[in-house]
Amino acid sequence: MLFNSLEFFVFLPIVFALYWLIGGKRIKSQNLLVALASYVFYGWWDWRFLSLILFSSLVDYSIGLSLGKINKPSKRKLLLWISICVNLGFLGFFKYYNFFIDSLINSFTFFGKELSINTLNIILPVGISFYTFQTLSYTIDVYNKKLEPTKEFVGFMAFVSFFPQLVAGPIERATNLLPQFYKERSFNYANAVDGLRQVLWGLFKKIVIADNCAKYANIIFNNHDDYSGSTLLLGAFFFAFQIYGDFSGYSDIAIGISRLFGFNLKRNFAFPYFSRDIAEFWRRWHISLSTWFRDYLYIPLGGSKGGTKMKIRNTFIIFIVSGFWHGANWTFIVWGALNAIYFLPLLLLNKNRVNTDIVAQGKYLPSLKELGQIAFTFFITLIAWVFFRADSVAHAASYLENMFTLSLFNKFEVFPTTILLLTLFFIIVEWLGRAGEYAIERIDFMKKPLRWSFYVILIILMFSFTGEQQEFIYFQF
Amino acid sequence: MIKFLKNIVVFLLITVIIGEIVVRVTHAVTDIPQRTIDDSGIQKYFPNQDGYWKGGDHQWVVNELGWPGELPDSNDNLINIIGDSYIENFMNPNECHQSTFLKENMKDYNFMEAARSGVSLIEAMEISKQTDTLNPKHTLIYVNNNDFLESIVEVKSLSDITQVNLTNNEIVFGKMKAPGAKKVLYTWKLLYYFYNRFPIGGNKKKKKKDALETTSKKDAERKTEHDDNILKLINYIKANYTISNKTLVFHPNSDHMIIDMCLNSGFNVIVLDSSNDSKDWTFGYDTHWTCYGHEKVAEQVSKNLLSNKSISLSN
């Protein structure tokens, strides 16, 4: 079920009404409702894969319980590895099996040998990368004794399958979300209003910005040989806003809906395109995944505490794994590696934590230096996005080759003025609201009539400029 | 919670009202004229209506006889034009109607249109009974393959379209489908906007259509059955209506089998041909003719009318 679908607009009020009719004191019943609703939400797409979520929940629930009882380190480690193997095994099979087989065949062909292994016609279960990492975080935290194992299975099921963030995150830590399932939830007016506001902004990002930018990004990327460098740069720009609007829009909707049910999810995006360097960008982009890799991969590998070689190794590992997490394609690996290359100089010069505050805080405009930094960071991000969006590394290379020619200074061949104006409006609102959790969080300074007028304008823009409905990009990851 | 729900309801009401104003002011949807059924069982529009086509670029009008378009200045040397949505032509301004272009090409004649979307061939013949009272020199009936099939109850019974039951030779007049719901939908423009923009089960409809196309390919033998029914329909029309002063104008790419059947049964026929034109006659988003398309159609029709000796333009 898509957040921007008619079914969801029927589903959400029903679940919301039932949830609060049950009341915050009947926690178990509410959890059961959340779990059932989440299974309906997921099953709407493909009910067969519900068994995967259920199995994953059962495995990690049982392993968690066992970890709570066993103190022997070797046995605890074994249990942890069982959880890791089961979860990553599913992920590996559904997401990466064909990639590995293809890569193996290509490698053998390269050395002049033919290998005959058949790839499989595998459907990738929506959101598998997200809920796998979420359940893994539970087992790892229980193993590290940061979290007490839960005994209540329904609550755990609801945690694993929580519908607002099930298929595209944010990837919640068990330490943050799970305890919320065992606490009494009470309806909070301010929280619910704020949640709805965040949903509205998320829908605007998805429907108006992402879906409209997608149209032009697709046209330009799919016919890149026909366009001049300037248009190709514009194509990368459209994709940058498509993916940002799409993914951060989804996160806003997920966080907003969760607040309607009395849950608080972690922030996933913090205005990444206003970053002054790539390290800041990565502290602001897909925060739940970056911090997941930081805590469960980078730090266990030694982080940046070792020598230069270790720093370089760990940086490449985390960025390449992060790229590979996005999809079984060399393009994502190159995208990850490229970001590692961007990041390394800052890390090695100890300048990766220079820009930790809000850019031009309290000012309407950035300084020239800040503007230059933002523009440069955005530009190198655009280059990396070309790999992320391209069908193959060769496609990306050809795209960039065509882009960096003298035709970069030609007139644009594709120039949708309305969409660009809408994107400009979006950038301005994001800039003005960059001190908040999301762009329009602090709109309360406006009087009610003005505030409501703004909401109505957003809704009218949504219905007037609805792009062709696209699935959220991150569903495929 | 009550405050929250109250605020949501109030906000939604305000949004709906503002949305309605925006849709009306910007003409985000086409104004749809109200229909009625006259004493003869013919569905037409309430007379003297007007409204805007989507985007507000041009207005459509329904004349005092209840047909879209303007009436001719005089009924002398009258040629009537009967058809479906192609002739109704709400999507183009009045200067792009068949009557206007034909008048430009045949200045000695006057033209009157009687068209409504969904008109079948048999309904067109019924309409011609009414328009014949104006004593026209000739009547042009614009048709495509579907107009034949949709005329026959035995092929598929369609309650909202006028058909003929070939088993008992009886005309079954079409009824208006959900008139109440349609009135609400067309009056509440915002609702109509949503209905158009976000069709319920849009994908399912497409899948169903695809499945139907596959089935129809599989059932090639059905075509023979349809051809038999079409021949019976043609014979029925020949027996029950005056056809000597009428010409069937076939859309481009019409079925040659049907055209031949009509010719062999003594109908006057004009077959439109767009194959030699490098410019498209139709809109990108649907199959209706653009202003250019109408101009070209009128060009071919007037040329045929003036040169074809088998078509008589005298009473």
Side-chain angles (χ1 to χ4, degrees):
Chain A
M1 208 182 284
L2 293 174
F3 282 160
N4 53 335
S5 66
L6 188 67
E7 298 96 80
F8 190 73
F9 279 93
V10 176
F11 169 86
L12 183 66
I14 292 172
V15 179
F16 177 81
L18 289 175
Y19 183 83
W20 289 114
L21 274 176
I22 290 170
K25 286 184 180 166
R26 280 175 278 185
I27 298 169
K28 284 188 180 177
S29 307
Q30 273 189 332
N31 287 348
L32 182 64
L33 176 73
V34 169
L36 286 174
S38 301
Y39 275 59
V40 169
F41 177 84
Y42 192 85
W44 208 266
W45 168 70
D46 195 330
W47 59 269
R48 290 170 302 173
F49 292 116
L50 286 174
S51 55
L52 269 183
I53 301 180
L54 186 61
F55 184 74
S56 199
S57 306
L58 274 169
V59 167
D60 286 289
Y61 171 75
S62 314
I63 287 176
L65 280 181
S66 305
L67 283 170
K69 288 175 195 158
I70 296 165
N71 285 320
K72 202 177 169 188
S74 60
K75 279 197 175 175
R76 288 175 62 79
K77 197 164 250 179
L78 177 70
L79 286 169
L80 175 68
W81 276 105
I82 291 173
S83 168
I84 291 173
C85 288
V86 169
N87 284 302
L88 295 186
F90 278 136
L91 187 62
F93 174 74
F94 283 104
K95 195 163 175 176
Y96 301 108
Y97 177 83
N98 283 343
F99 172 77
F100 282 122
I101 295 298
D102 281 338
S103 300
L104 198 67
I105 294 170
N106 289 341
S107 311
F108 271 77
T109 312
F110 183 76
F111 289 109
K113 296 213 169 184
E114 288 297 320
L115 200 63
S116 131
I117 314 172
N118 291 332
T119 52
L120 300 173
N121 188 15
I122 301 170
I123 302 170
L124 179 67
V126 167
I128 189 168
S129 308
F130 291 92
Y131 67 76
T132 299
F133 272 42
Q134 190 153 311
T135 50
L136 265 180
S137 90
Y138 168 76
T139 317
I140 298 170
D141 285 346
V142 172
Y143 173 80
N144 288 329
K145 298 191 173 167
K146 285 184 186 166
L147 185 72
E148 279 295 311
T150 177
K151 290 178 182 136
E152 211 265 296
F153 182 62
V154 175
F156 185 73
M157 262 174 72
F159 155 73
V160 175
S161 61
F162 190 41
F163 73 88
Q165 44 88 242
L166 171 63
V167 289
I171 302 165
E172 273 300 317
R173 298 299 179 77
T175 45
N176 176 51
L177 184 58
L178 189 59
Q180 295 184 50
F181 279 97
Y182 301 120
K183 272 189 210 157
E184 185 183 324
R185 272 97 60 179
S186 56
F187 181 81
N188 179 298
Y189 175 78
N191 212 17
V193 168
D194 202 26
L196 270 188
R197 188 159 45 216
Q198 195 161 1
V199 170
L200 180 67
W201 187 241
L203 284 171
F204 175 81
K205 279 177 175 179
K206 166 65 182 159
I207 295 170
V208 179
I209 302 301
D211 287 354
N212 281 301
C213 285
K215 185 180 162 190
Y216 294 98
N218 290 343
I219 291 170
I220 296 170
F221 269 87
N222 294 342
N223 307 286
H224 76 279
D225 279 335
D226 303 337
Y227 293 117
S228 64
S230 55
T231 307
L232 295 180
L233 183 66
L234 191 63
F237 173 88
F238 278 128
F239 181 68
F241 278 92
Q242 178 198 348
I243 195 159
Y244 175 58
D246 192 285
F247 192 23
S248 73
Y250 189 95
S251 295
D252 280 338
I253 300 167
I255 295 167
I257 290 170
S258 304
R259 295 177 84 172
L260 289 177
F261 290 86
F263 290 90
N264 285 310
L265 302 185
K266 294 262 185 198
R267 191 184 192 187
N268 211 17
F269 287 86
F271 312 100
Y273 288 154
F274 301 139
S275 301
R276 286 152 290 180
D277 60 49
I278 205 72
E280 188 186 6
F281 175 84
W282 279 107
R283 280 193 298 277
R284 293 175 175 277
W285 180 274
H286 202 175
I287 301 166
S288 63
L289 182 73
S290 312
T291 51
W292 197 101
F293 278 123
R294 183 196 64 199
D295 295 345
Y296 299 120
L297 185 66
Y298 188 67
I299 291 172
L301 283 170
S304 55
K305 283 182 182 160
T308 309
K309 271 188 186 171
M310 192 188 254
K311 278 182 185 172
I312 295 172
R313 184 201 71 175
N314 290 351
T315 302
F316 269 99
I317 288 176
I318 193 171
F319 274 106
I320 288 173
V321 170
S322 170
F324 199 44
W325 175 91
H326 285 88
N329 194 327
W330 285 100
T331 50
F332 296 115
I333 294 173
V334 174
W335 172 75
L338 196 56
N339 275 290
I341 293 166
Y342 292 162
F343 182 77
L344 261 179
L346 295 173
L347 182 70
L348 296 176
L349 295 169
N350 260 335
K351 288 193 171 174
N352 56 319
R353 301 200 71 82
V354 174
N355 297 311
T356 51
D357 56 344
I358 295 163
V359 61
Q361 195 163 15
K363 294 176 192 164
Y364 278 113
L365 294 169
S367 66
L368 266 180
K369 184 187 167 195
E370 285 166 335
L371 190 65
Q373 288 172 324
I374 292 170
F376 178 73
T377 309
F378 182 67
F379 179 72
I380 59 172
T381 312
L382 278 193
I383 308 294
W385 283 138
V386 171
F387 285 93
F388 196 96
R389 168 59 181 80
D391 302 327
S392 63
V393 176
H395 180 203
S398 162
Y399 190 99
L400 290 172
E401 198 184 329
N402 291 356
M403 189 168 104
F404 288 112
T405 57
L406 279 178
S407 68
L408 190 60
F409 305 100
N410 283 8
K411 209 177 151 192
F412 296 109
E413 288 134 322
V414 175
F415 198 81
T417 315
T418 313
I419 306 307
L420 286 166
L421 284 174
L422 285 169
T423 311
L424 180 68
F425 165 76
F426 170 66
I427 294 170
I428 292 170
V429 175
E430 287 260 303
W431 174 262
L432 293 175
R434 69 196 182 284
E437 285 281 306
Y438 60 94
I440 59 169
E441 187 199 13
R442 299 185 180 181
I443 204 170
D444 276 341
F445 74 89
M446 289 183 187
K447 290 216 164 127
K448 199 172 179 178
L450 208 59
R451 205 166 63 232
W452 280 29
S453 304
F454 181 72
Y455 301 151
V456 173
I457 288 170
L458 287 185
I459 292 172
I460 288 171
L461 285 174
M462 267 190 254
F463 286 117
S464 306
F465 295 102
T466 306
E468 198 176 309
Q469 194 189 44
Q470 319 253 346
E471 276 208 343
F472 287 90
I473 296 178
Y474 267 69
F475 278 15
Q476 60 189 294
F477 305 143
Chain B
M1 178 65 97
I2 290 169
K3 187 184 169 191
F4 179 71
L5 294 176
K6 203 178 89 186
N7 272 347
I8 286 184
V9 171
V10 173
F11 179 74
L12 284 178
L13 273 175
I14 292 172
T15 309
V16 166
I17 292 166
I18 295 176
E20 181 72 18
I21 294 167
V22 171
V23 169
R24 281 173 184 265
V25 170
T26 60
H27 302 291
V29 287
T30 302
D31 297 327
I32 307 291
Q34 303 277 334
R35 278 189 198 183
T36 181
I37 296 180
D38 72 7
D39 297 340
S40 326
I42 303 293
Q43 281 187 49
K44 49 166 72 167
Y45 296 107
F46 281 110
N48 303 318
Q49 299 181 67
D50 56 36
Y52 281 92
W53 180 250
K54 191 178 170 183
D57 294 338
H58 68 266
Q59 263 190 306
W60 51 257
V61 289
V62 173
N63 58 42
E64 61 199 58
L65 296 181
W67 300 115
E70 280 162 1
L71 288 173
D73 297 334
S74 149
N75 286 347
D76 297 340
N77 277 344
L78 184 68
I79 296 179
N80 285 330
I81 302 164
I82 302 176
D84 57 10
S85 52
Y86 283 77
I87 303 304
E88 179 185 71
N89 200 11
F90 282 141
M91 54 289 285
N92 287 305
N94 275 344
E95 55 267 28
C96 296
H97 276 233
Q98 279 299 292
S99 54
T100 315
F101 284 125
L102 286 169
K103 175 77 183 167
E104 277 173 20
N105 299 339
M106 299 167 72
K107 293 200 167 41
D108 295 339
Y109 295 88
N110 289 304
F111 294 87
M112 191 197 85
E113 292 174 1
R116 199 203 69 239
S117 58
V119 161
S120 63
L121 174 60
I122 201 71
E123 191 171 8
M125 297 311 299
E126 283 295 310
I127 293 170
S128 75
K129 276 186 184 170
Q130 285 188 356
T131 54
D132 277 353
T133 58
L134 298 169
N135 203 21
K137 297 276 180 202
H138 203 75
T139 297
L140 299 164
I141 301 174
Y142 287 64
V143 286
N144 61 32
N145 300 341
N146 282 342
D147 295 330
F148 286 80
L149 292 169
E150 285 171 2
S151 296
I152 307 165
V153 170
E154 283 77 2
V155 172
K156 194 180 181 188
S157 177
L158 301 161
S159 61
D160 55 333
I161 289 178
T162 297
Q163 295 182 298
V164 57
N165 185 327
L166 292 170
T167 316
N168 56 17
N169 286 343
E170 221 174 63
I171 298 288
V172 183
F173 286 100
K175 295 184 185 88
M176 286 205 281
K177 215 173 177 180
K182 275 185 181 165
K183 195 168 182 179
V184 172
L185 192 65
Y186 298 150
T187 312
W188 186 1
K189 307 270 182 209
L190 181 67
L191 187 69
Y192 185 51
Y193 175 81
F194 286 141
Y195 176 79
N196 273 331
R197 196 78 198 259
F198 312 102
I200 299 166
N203 292 335
K204 281 177 195 162
K205 271 182 197 165
K206 191 185 173 297
K207 276 180 196 165
K208 206 173 164 185
K209 196 182 158 210
D210 291 346
L212 273 173
E213 277 168 6
T214 319
T215 316
S216 66
K217 271 177 205 163
K218 271 186 204 166
D219 297 346
E221 67 269 18
R222 267 202 177 168
K223 195 179 176 312
T224 321
E225 197 188 314
H226 286 170
D227 288 347
D228 289 346
N229 278 321
I230 288 169
L231 189 59
K232 280 186 200 166
L233 171 74
I234 291 168
N235 288 333
Y236 175 86
I237 291 172
K238 211 175 146 184
N240 291 281
Y241 304 88
T242 315
I243 62 163
S244 57
N245 64 344
K246 295 184 178 66
T247 293
L248 298 178
V249 182
F250 279 89
H251 285 216
N253 306 318
S254 291
D255 189 339
H256 280 281
M257 185 81 95
I258 298 176
I259 296 168
D260 289 344
M261 276 193 258
C262 291
L263 279 168
N264 295 337
S265 302
F267 280 86
N268 299 311
V269 164
I270 294 173
V271 183
L272 299 170
D273 181 10
S274 60
S275 61
N276 293 326
D277 201 334
S278 58
K279 204 171 161 187
D280 223 340
W281 284 12
T282 59
F283 290 104
Y285 51 86
D286 76 11
T287 58
H288 288 103
W289 296 322
T290 57
C291 195
Y292 174 80
H294 273 280
E295 188 184 353
K296 292 290 147 186
V297 168
E299 225 171 68
Q300 291 189 10
V301 171
S302 49
K303 204 171 161 191
N304 256 284
L305 285 175
L306 294 171
S307 63
N308 194 335
K309 291 204 171 85
S310 64
I311 299 173
S312 162
L313 295 180
S314 56
N315 285 330

